[in-house]
Amino acid sequence: MTYDLIVIGSGPGGYVAAIRASQLGMKVAIVEKSELGGVCLNWGCIPTKALLKSAQVFEYIQHAADYGIQVQGADADFGAIVKRSREVANGMSKGVQFLMKKNKIDIHQGFGKLLTRSKVEVDSDGKKSTLEAKHIILATGARERQLPNLPIDGKKIIGYHEAMVLPELPKSMIIVGSGAIGSEFAYFYNAMGTEVKLVEFLPNIVPNEDEEVSKALEKSYKKQGIQVMTNSSVEKVDTSGKTCKVTIKTSKGEELHECDVVLSAVGIQTNLESIGLEAVGVKTDKGKVLVDDYYQTNVSGVYAIGDIVKGPALAHVASAEGIICVEKIAGHHPEPLDYNNIPGCTYCSPEIASVGYTEKGAKEAGYDIKVGKFPFSASGKASAAGAKDGFVKVIFDAKYGEFLGAHMIGANVTEMIAEVVAARKLETTGHEIIKTVHPHPTMSEAVMEAAAAAYGEVIHL
């Protein structure tokens, strides 16, 4: 079968690229070995947010008295919570199926492999077929990374996949790695009633975030009852008994901890094996496919997007890359993606959202900076909502007022960061943010107030 474009992988990079290509008049096929929507829709972004929402509702009920409401005997039905999460994911996957049909995109179920620069073999349980296209986009994504001393067995040592569908709530859990996945599951399982220990090799949890945000989350987690262990590493896990005996190396020496389940959340590994890269001559470096600004590989007609190329492994990055890639193929003139203006969000409680330079990063880049910070404890909306934890921190170039970065921790901040991303895209200055009238009372006022604080004009502090 012949197409204008074949996309291998239907995650948020692949399916978005396919839809945009169809809109631009191309005949498109997608090859997918598993569920439409990839990890994000089925085993990542979407189902985890459903779990986190259940945890948040449970916490609201437990603290209902703080809002003047009396609730008796509320219990969390763990099985029902997991079931709801799976239903949400399935609904989203069906939504992608509808979009494929609407945009007349052919779906070929099976494992896709490059045969040549224009041919793809699809292996569907041993039954092989060949597709042909002038352009092929690789969007094969990534899977959880496994450490040699932490082999995932799916029962006692688990990854994010198993963490979403455990048959019953564990009494205790050690989570290895405090990035977005580890931190989100730490909040979820602690809220459900599991005793949680969060182990991070680096000095701060959520280590990619601004240091003040990391410290604030650690303080909040400790208040919630999560034991946080930084500058620590899991050396080995003995799973031979009924429980897991975990040897953790700390600054004070080795300690032995016991738990029901160990969750490995130590990052991801790209899916590059067996997809024909070597046969066709596609160049890679350190587990990433090498591409230009428009995602063309060194082989004409073969492109790569998403987790398998440089840049942060985020769903919205993959989608943006897919759109840029197919628009370039179609003869348009898209702007290359600005990787310094990509928002990052962690959906624990309190939420974290950030974009651009951290304070440390801006200084290291040689900027003379102005920093403003506004705590939610001074926000009327946050007080009314009972969500006074956290702050908004903004960073500007002192010379020109350029908006260098923003870092937020608090309730609903993942919905607030887009303002800063748009402002930075439009090259907005600190003074323009101060003079942009924000609605009152809202959490988003904190962005304006933080900008005012940077210039010594803050009103409500």
Side-chain angles (χ1 to χ4, degrees):
M1 298 181 74
T2 305
Y3 296 92
D4 297 312
L5 173 69
I6 297 168
V7 184
I8 302 179
S10 73
Y15 87 76
V16 168
I19 290 171
R20 185 69 186 116
S22 178
Q23 289 173 344
L24 293 169
M26 295 184 211
K27 185 184 178 188
V28 185
I30 274 188
V31 180
E32 173 55 59
K33 68 171 184 175
S34 191
E35 305 106 327
L36 278 175
V39 169
C40 176
L41 262 66
N42 295 283
W43 295 102
C45 328
I46 305 304
T48 52
K49 302 312 157 281
L51 293 174
L52 292 165
K53 186 63 185 180
S54 292
Q56 186 186 50
V57 171
F58 189 43
E59 284 201 320
Y60 269 142
I61 293 167
Q62 288 176 308
H63 296 97
D66 296 345
Y67 299 87
I69 299 165
Q70 299 302 320
V71 177
Q72 305 298 323
D75 287 313
D77 183 338
F78 188 70
I81 287 168
V82 169
K83 183 171 179 280
R84 175 181 178 270
S85 168
R86 300 315 311 150
E87 286 169 353
V88 169
N90 292 338
M92 294 301 293
S93 190
K94 282 175 184 165
V96 176
Q97 288 175 33
F98 163 76
L99 290 173
M100 296 297 100
K101 195 173 179 181
K102 176 188 170 189
N103 288 281
K104 299 180 174 61
I105 296 163
D106 289 350
I107 306 297
H108 295 271
Q109 204 73 38
F111 189 91
K113 174 185 176 181
L114 289 171
L115 291 178
T116 69
R117 65 180 59 193
S118 62
K119 287 184 180 177
V120 172
E121 178 187 86
V122 181
D123 186 341
S124 182
D125 294 325
K127 187 182 175 186
K128 295 179 181 179
S129 57
T130 303
L131 310 177
E132 194 165 351
K134 190 178 177 184
H135 306 282
I136 299 167
I137 296 178
L138 305 172
T140 52
R143 62 189 183 277
E144 54 206 355
R145 185 164 70 97
Q146 293 198 43
L147 297 178
N149 62 332
L150 211 60
I152 292 171
D153 60 21
K155 297 281 191 296
K156 288 185 176 175
I157 303 177
I158 63 172
Y160 64 76
H161 193 290
E162 294 87 2
M164 272 182 264
V165 289
L166 283 179
E168 58 186 36
L169 185 70
K171 286 189 174 68
S172 56
M173 177 183 281
I174 289 175
I175 298 176
V176 187
S178 72
I181 294 171
S183 292
E184 288 179 8
F185 277 120
Y187 164 67
F188 170 71
Y189 276 104
N190 177 72
M192 289 292 101
T194 300
E195 182 189 298
V196 174
K197 289 174 184 170
L198 183 60
V199 181
E200 173 55 56
F201 178 72
L202 294 169
N204 298 306
I205 59 171
V206 285
N208 290 335
E209 299 297 337
D210 189 270
E211 218 166 281
E212 282 191 85
V213 168
S214 298
K215 295 293 183 193
L217 183 65
E218 183 174 338
K219 186 179 175 185
S220 180
Y221 270 9
K222 285 177 176 175
K223 196 165 70 176
Q224 292 172 36
I226 297 169
Q227 186 179 337
V228 176
M229 301 176 72
T230 51
N231 290 308
S232 302
S233 61
V234 170
E235 297 297 297
K236 60 183 179 182
V237 180
D238 178 1
T239 59
S240 60
K242 196 177 178 184
T243 61
C244 300
K245 290 183 169 59
V246 185
T247 303
I248 302 175
K249 187 178 178 184
T250 71
S251 53
K252 297 173 186 172
E254 288 193 349
E255 299 174 5
L256 189 65
H257 294 255
E258 247 182 281
C259 65
D260 292 332
V261 176
V262 175
L263 168 57
S264 176
V266 291
I268 58 169
Q269 181 179 333
T270 50
N271 295 322
L272 298 184
E273 301 90 347
S274 309
I275 60 171
L277 299 181
E278 298 83 5
V280 180
V282 174
K283 287 183 181 174
T284 63
D285 181 50
K286 295 173 185 170
K288 300 274 186 176
V289 178
L290 297 175
V291 291
D292 65 14
D293 287 345
Y294 300 100
Y295 311 100
Q296 167 82 58
T297 68
N298 62 298
V299 176
S300 176
V302 179
Y303 311 81
I305 60 170
D307 296 355
I308 61 171
V309 301
K310 65 178 181 180
L314 299 169
H316 45 282
V317 172
S319 296
E321 289 171 347
I323 290 168
I324 290 168
C325 182
V326 296
E327 287 182 350
K328 184 70 173 176
I329 290 170
H332 292 211
H333 302 282
E335 276 182 46
L337 191 58
D338 177 4
Y339 285 95
N340 196 36
N341 198 29
I342 301 293
C345 296
T346 304
Y347 299 83
C348 47
S349 184
E351 290 184 349
I352 293 171
S354 60
V355 67
Y357 286 102
T358 61
E359 182 177 351
K360 185 181 175 187
K363 286 174 182 173
E364 286 173 351
Y367 287 101
D368 181 17
I369 59 173
K370 286 185 180 292
V371 178
K373 196 171 156 189
F374 189 80
F376 285 121
S377 58
S379 160
K381 178 68 180 291
S383 291
K388 296 198 290 183
D389 279 1
F391 56 82
V392 170
K393 176 179 178 179
V394 293
I395 301 154
F396 298 103
D397 170 35
K399 191 174 182 183
Y400 299 110
E402 181 188 351
F403 207 153
L404 296 176
H407 306 275
M408 308 178 184
I409 180 167
N412 232 33
V413 294
T414 57
E415 301 294 344
M416 288 167 49
I417 195 66
E419 172 186 349
V420 181
V421 181
R424 295 183 77 240
K425 174 73 176 170
L426 297 169
E427 299 182 357
T428 301
T429 66
H431 288 296
E432 288 170 327
I433 291 290
I434 296 166
K435 300 305 178 189
T436 299
V437 178
H438 285 59
H440 176 77
T442 59
M443 301 287 279
S444 64
E445 283 176 293
V447 177
M448 175 186 70
E449 294 275 18
Y455 287 89
E457 299 176 23
V458 68
I459 300 295
H460 292 101
L461 277 183

